[in-house]
Amino acid sequence: MSNAHDTTNPLLAGPGVIDYRAIRPEHVTPALDTLLAEANDALERAVGSEVPADFDALSAVLGVATERLGRAWGAVNHLNHVADTPELRAAHAENLPRVTEFYTRQGSDDRLYAKYRAVADSPAAATLSAPRRQALAHWLRDFKLGGADLQGAAKQRFAALQDRMAELSQAYSNHVLDATDAFAHYATADELAGVPADVVQGMRDAAAAEGREGHKITLHFPSYFPVLQYGRNRALREKLYTAYVTRASDLGPAELDNGPLMAELLTLRQEEAALLGYANYAEVSLAAKMARTPAEVMAFLRDLAAKARPSAERDLAELREFAARELGLAELQAWDIPFASERLKEARYAFSDQEVKAYFPLPKVLQGLFRIIETLFEVGIRPAEAARWHESVQFFRIERQGTLVGEFFLDPYARAGKRPGAWMDNARDRWRRPDGAGLQTPVAHLVCNFAAPVGDKPALLTHDDVITLFHEFGHGLHHLLTQVDDLGVSGISGVEWDAVELPRQFMENFCWEWDVVRHMTAHVDSGEPLPRALFDKMLAAKNFQSGMQTLRQVEFGLFDMRLHTEADAPQRVGAIVDEVRREVAVLHPPAFARTANTFSHIFAGGYSAGYYSYKWAEVLSADAFSAFEEEGVLQPETGRRYRREILEVGGSRPAIESFKAFRGREPRIDALLRHQGMAA
């Protein structure tokens, strides 16, 4: 068996940056044997008489052990998302129930709950710093949400629910990945008429790597979507669209169908809510968010839908008229919409996404992004060395006046075995360690799924890709620039879920500022920067179909909230999808589309009864950015105020207080409507 002094197991290393390259599936179980034993021992010590009801004493015993466990298990989770193999998946599946059981038991331990209540009730509580008082309040709240008030059979059932829901969520995620990876179409050159040359070359290279003729198209977004957007072969568009929207459903292999998993997850979430004394799971979810009730969320979404609907109806009417007149598409089908939209945008604004893409090589975009961060937030970003999980991954350190602030990995490209989408997660939190090891600086993973470089040229990003990159960096900065030293409230920890998107969406706004964009473009062939005339066309097209896009997000948010408030939702997932679309959508996918079956955000990604957060936080982010519009987009003083009042404070105070400290007032929706061209 491994032990705490095993220097051969990278998951048992000290608090430094984990050696991802050295981790093997066979390391996982021995490491978890050791770490769970340590954490269990620490839990028993913490609830015993030798550890006083004192913030520092509890942190030194339980905090150190559970942080070590969380950091190692986080690395295993991360690799399972970005470098999936059958062996790693098996090791993850073997240990997931063990880890879930420990955290569930710790979170519902009435002895530990009593110890933390004693901390809160002690005279010393009044002398705690504001971040520590906030962390303590969160812990007490989370004990209640973790079932600490339950007794006997109810507590046992709550623990069983946590195990089963973790298992179901992981299976859901695996099904999406496996269904995505299982599809491939090897197209002829004729079938790919209209598809950009660099995309076609990438498909040809992918087929050749397998010893196959033709061009390999997969359901990973950088491969699939350019065909829908540019491909003139309507039959191929239909084939790919159908494969994409039926993944992990009853219309594919039974063993990958997420339908039964969704029904069971929703049923178990309802049971969890009832055990905790809530009317539904949405109320459980909102207990730790800015929004107070499901009714408030649904009213917000419906109000936004009403404001967006006139624009959306105009968007769709124009698209249908153009498709019929110019493209001969009398009946616009779902697989025609990206193609017709791109043609309409080209006709109206005289440019294409492909033309723009040539000006955004990834190295130049990163240079421009780093320039913004360095200018506004008074830091430096430098390449650094670390053991990576894939050769395309990059590693950087952030410094202020020569002092390390944080470090991050950037994993930019799509590949087999990597979960679709884009995300940030924390590899290590900022923490002034109570074990004498000093200040631990934060580390982040920034993950995207862009098209990889083709030949000897750098990867080229669409402008949407650039926005995605900025979005994830906003989240990363919230984690990396924190100045809070206490676990639970440093970085993004403890930030209300419906406010955590604020810094992500805030960063997107810079992608529409000329003084920013001109410094992060260089044509892949000539090296010339993006012409101002082309940027002006992009800006004119910024709100192209924004009404339809807003309604699509409202549709997702309303569907999610209804799933988690209605008692019969487990049996009516498809019906609720249809009802929500009839209420708010202008676009209606075909009956065979199974959107819910790959809605990983709410079934496997932590956004259950929380998807509305994207639009909720967008109100905050647009209003926050309007301060930069008023005072200067690259004004260091405004950036310093934003850094200090939003980024550095993390979850150490309520998000609304941080917003008001930066903006000087309550948030308003006006800026969002103006940014999206929907202002009255």
Side-chain angles (χ1 to χ4, degrees):
M1 174 180 283
S2 182
N3 59 62
H5 303 289
D6 183 350
T7 59
T8 66
N9 191 324
L11 292 169
L12 293 176
V17 178
I18 285 179
D19 185 351
Y20 288 102
R21 189 166 46 207
I23 297 173
R24 300 289 181 267
E26 56 268 26
H27 289 135
V28 177
T29 296
L32 268 295
D33 288 342
T34 294
L35 296 169
L36 285 168
E38 287 180 353
N40 277 302
D41 178 65
L43 176 58
E44 291 306 311
R45 289 176 58 208
V47 299
S49 58
E50 71 171 278
V51 177
D54 173 80
F55 194 102
D56 285 312
L58 284 165
S59 293
V61 174
L62 190 57
V64 169
T66 54
E67 191 270 346
R68 190 174 185 223
L69 168 64
R71 193 158 25 87
W73 183 242
V76 176
N77 262 323
H78 173 67
L79 290 177
N80 198 43
H81 285 150
V82 298
D84 179 66
T85 65
E87 297 78 14
L88 180 62
R89 184 180 294 189
H92 182 274
E94 176 187 349
N95 288 283
L96 176 62
R98 304 169 68 200
V99 176
T100 303
E101 186 277 334
F102 170 77
Y103 281 116
T104 301
R105 180 160 43 84
Q106 176 191 251
S108 63
D109 192 307
D110 49 9
R111 302 169 301 168
L112 188 61
Y113 185 24
K115 186 70 68 93
Y116 276 105
R117 285 204 310 268
V119 175
D121 294 340
S122 70
T127 67
L128 291 175
S129 65
R132 289 189 166 191
R133 290 197 301 272
Q134 183 79 338
L136 185 57
H138 286 175
W139 289 333
L140 295 176
R141 176 199 68 200
D142 292 344
F143 272 115
K144 293 181 180 180
L145 294 176
D149 287 332
L150 301 177
Q151 300 296 325
K155 177 165 284 194
Q156 292 178 358
R157 179 57 182 163
F158 185 86
L161 289 177
Q162 305 313 303
D163 290 346
R164 180 59 179 159
M165 289 190 293
E167 180 184 333
L168 290 168
S169 291
Q170 186 59 48
Y172 182 102
S173 183
N174 289 343
H175 289 176
V176 174
L177 176 58
D178 290 346
T180 301
D181 282 346
F183 176 90
H185 175 73
Y186 296 86
T188 65
D190 290 344
E191 284 183 288
L192 295 175
V195 179
D198 63 321
V199 177
V200 173
Q201 181 64 51
M203 293 171 176
R204 185 183 301 119
D205 292 347
E210 298 178 355
R212 297 283 300 261
E213 296 292 325
H215 307 75
K216 183 181 181 182
I217 307 173
T218 73
L219 296 182
H220 288 280
F221 197 79
S223 176
Y224 147 84
F225 193 69
V227 182
L228 262 70
Q229 193 175 19
Y230 296 102
R232 294 197 289 268
N233 187 314
R234 196 183 193 196
L236 180 58
R237 296 202 307 266
E238 181 179 0
K239 178 184 180 74
L240 295 176
Y241 173 86
T242 302
Y244 191 80
V245 301
T246 57
R247 289 173 299 156
S249 77
D250 57 310
L251 300 178
E255 65 272 17
L256 297 181
D257 181 10
N258 273 336
L261 276 62
M262 293 188 291
E264 187 177 354
L265 267 169
L266 292 171
T267 300
L268 298 184
R269 287 172 182 172
Q270 287 181 355
E271 185 180 355
E272 177 189 10
L275 283 172
L276 293 174
Y278 290 91
N280 52 61
Y281 185 80
E283 290 186 359
V284 177
S285 174
L286 295 181
K289 294 182 172 69
M290 288 179 70
R292 292 161 294 184
T293 66
E296 180 185 6
V297 171
M298 289 193 275
F300 164 74
L301 291 170
R302 286 174 168 133
D303 179 60
L304 189 56
K307 289 179 167 66
R309 191 169 190 88
S311 296
E313 289 174 338
R314 286 194 300 272
D315 291 342
L316 185 57
E318 291 171 355
L319 185 63
R320 282 176 171 156
E321 190 276 332
F322 174 83
R325 185 185 73 247
E326 300 295 334
L327 305 176
L329 297 172
E331 289 190 26
L332 196 65
Q333 301 293 341
W335 48 88
D336 298 323
I337 289 169
F339 177 76
S341 296
E342 182 62 24
R343 299 288 82 70
L344 174 58
K345 188 169 73 172
E346 290 175 6
R348 177 176 295 170
Y349 303 107
F351 79 95
S352 70
D353 283 349
Q354 187 63 20
E355 179 186 2
V356 170
K357 181 178 169 182
Y359 287 96
F360 286 105
L362 178 59
K364 188 67 175 178
V365 173
L366 285 176
Q367 180 184 327
L369 171 59
F370 293 171
R371 172 180 173 269
I372 299 168
I373 295 168
E374 292 175 335
T375 300
L376 288 181
F377 305 137
E378 300 172 310
V379 295
I381 302 177
R382 307 285 181 267
E385 290 299 321
R388 304 162 295 159
W389 53 90
H390 190 270
E391 61 184 8
S392 63
V393 175
Q394 302 174 59
F395 185 70
F396 298 89
R397 57 187 280 132
I398 301 178
E399 302 170 349
R400 179 175 292 118
Q401 297 177 341
T403 300
L404 178 64
V405 175
E407 297 159 295
F408 63 92
F409 293 91
L410 174 63
D411 184 350
Y413 307 128
R415 57 180 178 269
K418 182 178 176 183
R419 194 182 86 185
W423 65 92
M424 189 289 293
D425 59 34
N426 53 325
R428 189 178 71 193
D429 293 307
R430 180 183 168 101
W431 188 26
R432 192 162 296 281
R433 298 182 63 92
D435 54 5
L439 179 64
Q440 173 177 291
T441 52
V443 180
H445 305 130
L446 297 163
V447 184
C448 298
N449 269 280
F450 304 140
V454 175
D456 58 356
K457 293 186 177 180
L460 300 178
L461 306 189
T462 67
H463 192 248
D464 282 345
D465 289 338
V466 175
I467 292 172
T468 296
L469 182 67
F470 273 60
H471 179 99
E472 297 309 334
F473 260 88
H475 205 26
L477 291 171
H478 204 184
H479 174 65
L480 294 166
L481 298 189
T482 186
Q483 291 295 295
V484 177
D485 292 344
D486 295 294
L487 283 185
V489 289
S490 71
I492 62 172
S493 299
V495 179
E496 298 96 320
W497 199 261
D498 44 5
V500 79
E501 293 290 332
L502 188 168
R504 302 171 87 167
Q505 294 168 336
F506 166 84
M507 286 296 294
E508 295 180 18
N509 293 285
F510 289 103
C511 300
W512 297 104
E513 296 293 331
W514 173 245
D515 283 343
V516 170
V517 172
R518 66 193 177 98
H519 290 292
M520 61 182 187
T521 60
H523 194 280
V524 65
D525 294 323
S526 69
E528 291 296 315
L530 183 79
R532 179 61 191 259
L534 181 52
F535 174 78
D536 288 342
K537 293 176 184 178
M538 293 165 57
L539 197 59
K542 175 187 174 186
N543 293 318
F544 179 65
Q545 297 184 343
S546 64
M548 291 200 306
Q549 292 164 8
T550 296
L551 286 191
R552 183 68 165 153
Q553 290 298 301
V554 169
E555 176 189 324
F556 287 146
L558 196 55
F559 166 66
D560 170 40
M561 194 55 61
R562 284 191 55 184
L563 277 186
H564 291 100
T565 55
E566 299 176 14
D568 60 351
Q571 295 77 44
R572 299 187 65 250
V573 173
I576 292 174
V577 170
D578 293 339
E579 290 165 10
V580 169
R581 283 175 178 157
R582 284 196 294 272
E583 178 183 356
V584 301
V586 295
L587 278 174
H588 297 273
F592 61 74
R594 300 289 191 268
T595 309
N597 290 62
T598 52
F599 199 175
S600 295
H601 280 76
I602 67 170
F603 290 110
Y607 277 84
S608 45
Y611 194 83
Y612 77 92
S613 300
Y614 283 101
K615 299 311 292 184
W616 184 279
E618 204 169 347
V619 172
L620 304 176
S621 65
D623 198 356
F625 190 75
S626 65
F628 286 79
E629 294 176 312
E630 294 161 9
E631 300 169 21
V633 170
L634 293 175
Q635 171 57 250
E637 180 53 43
T638 314
R640 187 178 304 122
R641 194 169 78 248
Y642 176 82
R643 186 190 84 222
R644 289 174 175 169
E645 303 295 354
I646 303 287
L647 300 179
E648 290 186 350
V649 299
S652 66
R653 65 185 178 192
I656 190 63
E657 291 185 17
S658 295
F659 180 89
K660 289 192 291 187
F662 170 65
R663 204 67 182 94
R665 57 167 172 75
E666 296 276 350
R668 300 171 185 160
I669 198 172
D670 311 49
L672 174 62
L673 297 176
R674 174 171 53 81
H675 286 177
Q676 297 189 344
M678 295 188 293

